[in-house]
Amino acid sequence: MSKEMTSKQETKVMPSGLPFITAGAVWFILALLLPIYKLYALILTAAAAAAAFVLLTLRRRKQIAELPPAPAVKVRADELAEKIDRCRDTLLSQQPKIKNETVSAAAGSIARTMDLIADELERDPKDRNKVRKLANHYTAMITGLVDKYIQLESQAVEGENISSSMKRIEEGLTGADDALKRILDDMFSDDAMEVSADITVLEQLLKTEGSDNKMDFSGLDKGQQ
């Protein structure tokens, strides 16, 4: 019983509103103690409130990161990641057999993107819903199209039907490559929102009136893309 209580205490996460309440409390207390109508006191009060908010927000985020994922969620995410990894391995084994440079490049790019998707899924199992159809259906379709292209490319004869099929497969793989990159980008949407929120807080902290430590983070999001 004591072990269960200890485990629950270790994984307890502070309420989401606590950073806001604490920052407000710090502001209120310092406003009572300091002559806030003076510039230095206003800057000190704002900086202390912002610092309290940032520290507690980072602490809460760390607590959330330390929470073990639900076993069923983790197992399902790992199963999906394994299917995507198998597709990646198949594509890498097929790539040397492809003579067309465009199709070969598309297959290689798809394999690399799938590798990144599987890694991100293992890091953040809650993204499993974003890749379920990919893992369960589209991976087999992609490797099947590549295999079909290799067969058509190896034919000793040329014809309109063969050329048309090969062209459609080429276009399909190129489109699949773009779609997979969009899926990967979407998996990082939560991280992008967290970065944006952190930058906003830091800007408010460092751009206080009269401060010489003004910094411009406006290009940081673009720089990381």
Side-chain angles (χ1 to χ4, degrees):
M1 182 67 178
S2 60
K3 290 183 178 180
E4 291 179 0
M5 292 178 63
T6 301
S7 177
K8 290 181 179 179
Q9 291 175 352
E10 290 176 350
T11 57
K12 188 175 181 180
V13 178
M14 72 174 68
S16 59
L18 185 58
F20 295 95
I21 295 173
T22 303
V26 170
W27 177 281
F28 180 78
I29 293 172
L30 291 180
L32 292 176
L33 298 176
L34 298 175
I36 199 169
Y37 55 87
K38 293 185 178 181
L39 181 59
Y40 81 89
L42 178 61
I43 293 175
L44 179 61
T45 301
F53 177 83
V54 171
L55 289 175
L56 287 180
T57 299
L58 293 177
R59 175 59 183 166
R60 184 174 185 276
R61 191 172 298 166
K62 182 179 179 181
Q63 290 175 339
I64 293 174
E66 290 174 350
L67 286 173
V73 172
K74 179 63 175 173
V75 169
R76 289 173 187 147
D78 287 345
E79 289 174 350
L80 296 175
E82 185 177 354
K83 291 180 180 180
I84 295 172
D85 280 337
R86 284 202 297 268
C87 180
R88 173 207 61 197
D89 293 340
T90 301
L91 287 170
L92 291 177
S93 67
Q94 291 173 322
Q95 190 179 10
K97 304 175 185 177
I98 304 172
K99 299 175 183 178
N100 184 287
E101 293 182 359
T102 301
V103 177
S104 178
S109 181
I110 291 172
R112 289 190 295 272
T113 304
M114 284 191 172
D115 188 40
L116 294 173
I117 289 174
D119 288 345
E120 176 60 16
L121 181 58
E122 291 173 352
R123 184 187 73 86
D124 193 354
K126 74 176 184 295
D127 283 332
R128 67 193 185 285
N129 291 330
K130 298 179 181 180
V131 300
R132 181 175 284 113
K133 285 186 177 180
L134 167 65
N136 291 331
H137 303 290
Y138 298 139
T139 51
M141 293 175 62
I142 290 171
T143 55
L145 284 174
V146 174
D147 190 54
K148 187 64 177 178
Y149 188 90
I150 294 171
Q151 294 178 19
L152 293 173
E153 199 176 38
S154 64
Q155 296 295 320
V157 297
E158 295 183 2
E160 183 178 347
N161 291 330
I162 293 177
S163 299
S164 176
S165 297
M166 292 175 67
K167 184 62 177 178
R168 292 192 64 185
I169 293 175
E170 179 181 336
E171 294 172 349
L173 292 175
T174 302
D177 186 25
D178 293 336
L180 287 172
K181 289 175 180 176
R182 289 194 295 271
I183 291 174
L184 178 62
D185 184 67
D186 185 51
M187 294 175 74
F188 284 92
S189 58
D190 291 340
D191 292 338
M193 287 189 291
E194 290 180 0
V195 168
S196 179
D198 289 343
I199 290 173
T200 300
V201 172
L202 286 172
E203 285 180 332
Q204 295 302 319
L205 176 62
L206 297 172
K207 289 185 176 181
T208 52
E209 184 177 355
S211 174
D212 293 331
N213 296 321
K214 294 184 178 180
M215 299 180 69
D216 182 12
F217 291 89
S218 60
L220 185 56
D221 288 329
K222 295 180 180 179
Q224 291 190 5
Q225 291 179 354

